[in-house]
Amino acid sequence: MEAIFHAPKRRPKVYESFEAPLPVPFSKDSPSEQQIQTYRAEIIQQHVIVRESEHIQALYGKGYFGKGVLSKSRPQHSISERWEYVGDTCLPVIPLPKYEQHVRWARSALLAQGLDEEAANQVLKELTHPVELDLEKEPSEEQVDVQEHQESGACQAPSSEQDQPMEDVAAAKCEEGEGSGFSKAKRPRRQGDLCYDPLAEIYPEEPEQVDPNALAKVKCKRHDDWIVHCGCRVDASEMMSGGSVSDTRGCNLSVARSYVLVEESEEDEDGDPYDEDIKRSRRGKLVCRINPFNMMEYLQLSYEEAFFLVYALGCLSVFRDGEALSILQVWRMFRSAQPNFEIAYAAYHYFRSKGWVPKSGIKYGTDLMLYRKGPPFYHASYSVVVERVDESLQGAPLRPLTWRSLAALSRTTANVSKELMFSYVVVPSDMTEEDFSSPECLKKFKVQEIIVSRWVSSKERTEQEDI
């Protein structure tokens, strides 16, 4: 029966634009300004990790490579969703149990370094003592407005601006300044990109340019994306995500990353202890302390993704113990760490070259999931099982399946609105182990795919009756 291609299922809400994937070099004589930037990854305990934020943004934003170590997929972890001003500094607010958990993690790290319990407790006691910050500078009117908006969750703008995001209003006020005569005027401003800016026709002026290197470290919490992708203003979004960009006109939203505001419970003797509404609305006392255990968001690449960036695109350098590895060294290291790596990579390379975005399919019991353009735009279309065969399409399967397990896998795939695909990597039977020691063996492989569909007897009877 001929396989029928079904269009991928589009996601209902998309808050980012599609960027071209990482470039592929066609000539060695290209100008120096057009040379491909090389990103850096490190092998830490058999894991390929990208640490620099600019490299994380580029690798995930242009091809959706890897996943955040602290996030579900997109590297977007933030220490807190709530931020408060202390003087002229904006700090994250975390509850007391979460802060105590950070203290326990820091204590475990100190004990693992060889300190005894008494010394570790003394260090943490001095480190977590309440800190008195310089409060000579009172928060500006713009800061108070943004803070009140975060607490109430509602925008108190006039009726003509009710549809405008609060971030744009606060940014407009911040740029105008106190002496301009427009400190209390709230007018909508451009969001940045003509392609998906609803205010482009009304306000054609471009927003003030900000250093792109500084924007690379700023995330927009409203759109779950880097701010350079979503087009929002810098100020309010940067304040919520903990960036370090300072406005050129004095709207300073710098964040001291080592300090946090700990929300401690404050008992009220006059209040009704049985009033649940009062308990939910009551907020505790905020105490500034040093965060003893900072968690950084890194990008983790699978072996197939890392080798594709190294071998196919040539835009990634893998380091181990501070030394850059060659393509051959990376190939041999990945083969020794992962069984049948050459088969898995051949399938990954094949689907990437076809325009799909392959991600891990372990969630649905398969090897790969294929996305059209990327996970933010479409749901996965296919669940792929990778197998190795010879020229006669025979050979010991990498994943032995019985009819019962195959029916269960097909039913699971259908229940999540995907199609089951078997990808067979055809390996010549005359290849030796020495041939597999180099990535040159990939040139001899062939890949064939088969779509498996579940036979439904009632559907077939209905079709015959229609005929």
Side-chain angles (χ1 to χ4, degrees), residues 13-17 60 74-76 81 164-168 191-192 196-198 218-233 236-238 240-241 376:
K13 295 181 180 180
V14 178
Y15 295 109
E16 62 182 277
S17 58
Y60 192 87
R74 179 185 299 275
Q76 59 185 11
E81 298 294 334
Q164 178 66 13
M166 185 63 183
E167 291 86 344
D168 300 336
Q191 295 180 2
Y196 43 90
D197 183 4
V218 182
K219 297 179 182 178
C220 176
K221 299 302 297 182
R222 188 165 68 92
H223 288 157
D224 256 358
D225 195 4
W226 297 95
I227 198 167
V228 294
H229 292 168
C230 67
C232 286
R233 298 291 299 178
S237 298
E238 176 268 331
M240 288 186 290
S241 61

Side-chain angles (χ1 to χ4, degrees), residues 27-76:
S27 174
K28 297 182 179 179
D29 301 329
S30 58
S32 58
E33 61 271 10
Q34 296 181 1
Q35 292 293 332
I36 298 175
Q37 181 179 357
T38 303
Y39 306 104
R40 179 189 177 98
E42 301 177 18
I43 295 181
I44 303 176
Q45 296 181 354
Q46 305 298 323
H47 300 287
V48 184
I49 301 296
V50 181
R51 295 188 177 186
E52 298 186 21
S53 60
E54 295 86 356
H55 298 182
I56 293 174
Q57 172 197 345
L59 292 177
Y60 192 87
K62 297 181 179 180
Y64 302 99
F65 292 94
K67 68 173 293 295
V69 295
L70 300 177
S71 306
K72 182 179 179 181
S73 179
R74 179 185 299 275
Q76 59 185 11

Side-chain angles (χ1 to χ4, degrees), residues 82-99:
R82 178 185 167 198
W83 298 74
E84 298 280 351
Y85 274 100
V86 178
D88 197 35
T89 305
C90 190
L91 300 177
V93 179
I94 62 175
L96 181 60
K98 185 176 181 179
Y99 184 78

Side-chain angles (χ1 to χ4, degrees), residues 18 89 284 293 340 406 432:
F18 177 71
T89 305
F293 194 89
N340 301 304
L406 178 60
T432 62

Side-chain angles (χ1 to χ4, degrees), residues 190-202:
R190 280 280 305 281
Q191 295 180 2
D193 198 325
L194 287 171
C195 298
Y196 43 90
D197 183 4
L199 302 176
E201 298 181 357
I202 305 177

